């Protein structure tokens, strides 16, 4: 902004009049304003985005699962596009999020989780922008709606295409998955090294945690999961990752039956008693183990009835 004085006309005596200075307003550039905030507040945006997303998805923060890293890369790419490509960023940003949607499918994100992720980004960008500039111009608000809306649509579209392709290619696997979804028994598959490679939907219903948290989980992640579930033995002692039946089955190379574990679901706070059983799976025509299968069954009502019968017997 700057002032400019203009020369007026002259009167009959030849005196020159100077008109008041005219206030000239420069055109506001929302792309430049947003680019400055995104570039300079990149770390803050990524940190707040990961924090908000973890709260909404009930993610477990462990060293082996860095939720912030892919989000920080997206924020850096957004800042680069806004700075280098200007208004074309609205057109180019969705191309970046298409690849992100495919990557989220690979880590077993749901379509709803992807939508929550984009919604969280919108909230964080508004919060950081207002904190930095103390206002949110209408032009910037419209730009954010376009960026997040177009990017979310692109990510969802890429996710849906991969999902349809996988469903066609693995139709038989999908049928088996559908059958396992309606079974009340949770099933976990563990590799020979102890890392989990598969979890059925009932695992999520029993524990109250997304099944994707278990897939790829090693000892560090399992310790964090057990801590979040407040997992305990029936005697009240804390349940360790090494106490899980599949870990014992892999180590002792034998079946492990009837291991009881008490948990408290984070979704509703309800306490459950689970019965865990594991079976080692040897490779065909070999003494080497392929892995182990562990089942989880809800025995809360059975245990309560047994206790009630025991109390009734003592009273008699």
């Amino acid at each position: 902004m700057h002032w400019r004085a203009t020369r007026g006309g002259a009167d009959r005596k030849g005196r020159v009049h100077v008109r008041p200075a005219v206030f000239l307003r420069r055109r506001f550039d929302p792309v430049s304003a947003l680019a400055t905030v995104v570039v300079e507040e990149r770390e803050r945006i990524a940190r707040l985005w990961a924090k908000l997303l973890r709260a909404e998805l009930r993610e477990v923060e462990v060293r082996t699962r860095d939720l912030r890293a892919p989000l920080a890369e997206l924020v850096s790419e957004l800042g680069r596009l806004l700075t280098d490509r200007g208004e074309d960023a609205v057109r180019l940003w969705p191309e970046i999020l298409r690849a992100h949607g495919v990557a989220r499918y690979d880590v077993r994100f749901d379509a709803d989780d992807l939508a929550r992720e984009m919604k969280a980004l919108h909230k964080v960008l508004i919060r950081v922008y207002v904190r930095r500039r103390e206002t949110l111009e209408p032009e910037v608000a419209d730009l954010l709606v376009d960026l997040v809306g177009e990017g979310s649509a692109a990510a969802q579209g890429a996710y849906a295409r991969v999902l349809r392709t996988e469903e066609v290619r693995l139709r038989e696997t999908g049928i088996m998955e559908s059958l396992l979804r309606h079974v009340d028994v949770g099933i976990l598959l563990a590799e020979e090294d102890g890392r989990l490679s598969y979890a059925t939907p009932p695992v999520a219903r029993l524990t109250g945690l997304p099944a994707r948290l278990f897939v790829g989980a090693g000892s560090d992640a399992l310790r964090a999961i057990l801590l979040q579930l407040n997992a305990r033995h029936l005697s009240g002692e804390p349940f360790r990752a090494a106490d899980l039946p599949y870990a014992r089955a892999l180590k002792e190379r034998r079946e492990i039956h009837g291991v009881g574990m008490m948990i408290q679901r984070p979704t509703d706070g309800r306490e459950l008693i689970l019965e865990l059983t594991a079976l080692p799976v040897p490779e065909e025509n070999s003494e080497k183990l392929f892995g182990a299968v562990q089942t989880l069954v809800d025995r809360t009502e059975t245990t309560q009835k047994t206790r009630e019968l025991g109390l009734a017997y003592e009273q008699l």
Side-chain angles (χ1 to χ4, degrees):
M1 306 177 183
H2 63 279
W3 293 87
R4 184 181 68 185
T6 59
R7 187 178 181 88
D11 57 13
R12 295 179 179 178
K13 297 182 180 181
R15 290 175 296 187
V16 177
H17 298 281
V18 179
R19 296 193 183 100
V22 179
F23 184 68
L24 300 179
R25 182 185 296 273
R26 293 180 181 175
R27 180 176 176 272
F28 175 70
D29 184 4
V31 175
S32 178
L34 181 60
T36 301
V37 174
V38 172
V39 171
E40 296 182 0
E41 299 286 349
R42 179 178 62 253
E43 295 297 329
R44 184 188 303 275
I45 293 172
R47 183 177 68 254
L48 293 178
W49 189 8
K51 181 179 179 180
L52 181 58
L53 183 61
R54 183 175 291 110
E56 292 191 4
L57 301 184
R58 302 191 304 276
E59 284 278 358
V60 179
E61 186 172 6
V62 293
R63 292 193 303 270
T64 57
R65 188 180 180 90
D66 189 357
L67 183 64
R68 189 190 303 181
L71 303 184
E73 293 179 3
L74 288 179
V75 175
S76 299
E77 193 66 23
L78 177 59
R80 185 188 67 80
L81 289 176
L82 290 170
T83 302
D84 298 341
R85 307 306 295 270
E87 295 181 355
D88 288 339
V90 178
R91 177 176 56 84
L92 298 174
W93 172 241
E95 300 299 326
I96 303 299
L97 287 184
R98 283 192 178 91
H100 180 69
V102 175
R104 283 315 195 197
Y105 177 85
D106 293 337
V107 295
R108 300 178 67 88
F109 259 51
D110 295 333
D112 292 340
D113 296 338
L114 195 57
R116 293 189 186 99
E117 186 175 45
M118 294 297 103
K119 184 178 179 181
L121 173 62
H122 195 192
K123 290 181 179 179
V124 170
L125 287 175
I126 292 177
R127 183 187 307 175
V128 174
Y129 188 90
V130 173
R131 180 182 182 276
R132 179 67 180 270
R133 296 177 61 93
E134 300 182 352
T135 186
L136 179 64
E137 298 85 356
E139 299 90 339
V140 176
D142 293 340
L143 176 60
L144 287 175
V145 170
D146 291 339
L147 282 171
V148 176
E150 294 293 335
S152 179
Q156 294 276 5
Y159 183 96
R161 284 194 295 273
V162 175
L163 181 61
R164 286 195 296 268
T165 302
E166 292 296 316
E167 286 178 347
V168 171
R169 188 170 65 89
L170 303 174
R171 182 167 297 175
E172 293 183 359
T173 303
I175 294 175
M176 182 61 68
E177 181 90 13
S178 178
L179 293 174
L180 293 175
R181 185 181 296 272
H182 295 87
V183 177
D184 292 333
V185 178
I187 300 176
L188 295 171
L189 299 183
E191 303 294 333
E192 185 186 8
D193 60 358
R195 188 174 298 274
L196 297 177
S197 60
Y198 182 74
T200 61
V203 173
R205 293 201 296 267
L206 290 172
T207 62
L209 295 175
R212 66 171 181 278
L213 292 186
F214 295 88
V215 179
S219 57
D220 289 341
L222 286 172
R223 279 195 292 268
I225 290 173
L226 293 175
L227 183 62
Q228 185 173 4
L229 292 173
N230 191 22
R232 308 176 304 283
H233 289 277
L234 299 184
S235 60
E237 299 176 357
F239 207 101
R240 303 175 303 166
D243 299 333
L244 290 168
Y246 81 83
R248 294 175 53 192
L250 291 173
K251 182 179 180 180
E252 302 173 17
R253 306 177 70 87
R254 65 181 181 89
E255 299 180 12
I256 306 295
H257 295 279
V259 177
M261 180 174 69
M262 296 187 295
I263 65 170
Q264 185 175 12
R265 288 196 303 208
T267 50
D268 54 12
R270 182 187 174 193
E271 290 193 349
L272 298 180
I273 297 177
L274 303 180
E275 180 182 349
L276 312 180
T277 300
L279 175 69
V281 181
E283 291 187 3
E284 188 175 356
N285 300 324
S286 174
E287 296 182 357
K288 185 178 180 181
L289 289 180
F290 177 79
V293 178
Q294 177 174 301
T295 60
L296 299 83
V297 182
D298 186 0
R299 298 298 188 194
T300 306
E301 293 184 4
T302 303
T303 304
Q304 290 176 348
K305 290 180 180 179
T306 302
R307 289 175 179 175
E308 292 174 359
L309 289 174
L311 291 175
Y313 177 79
E314 291 178 0
Q315 292 176 358
L316 290 174

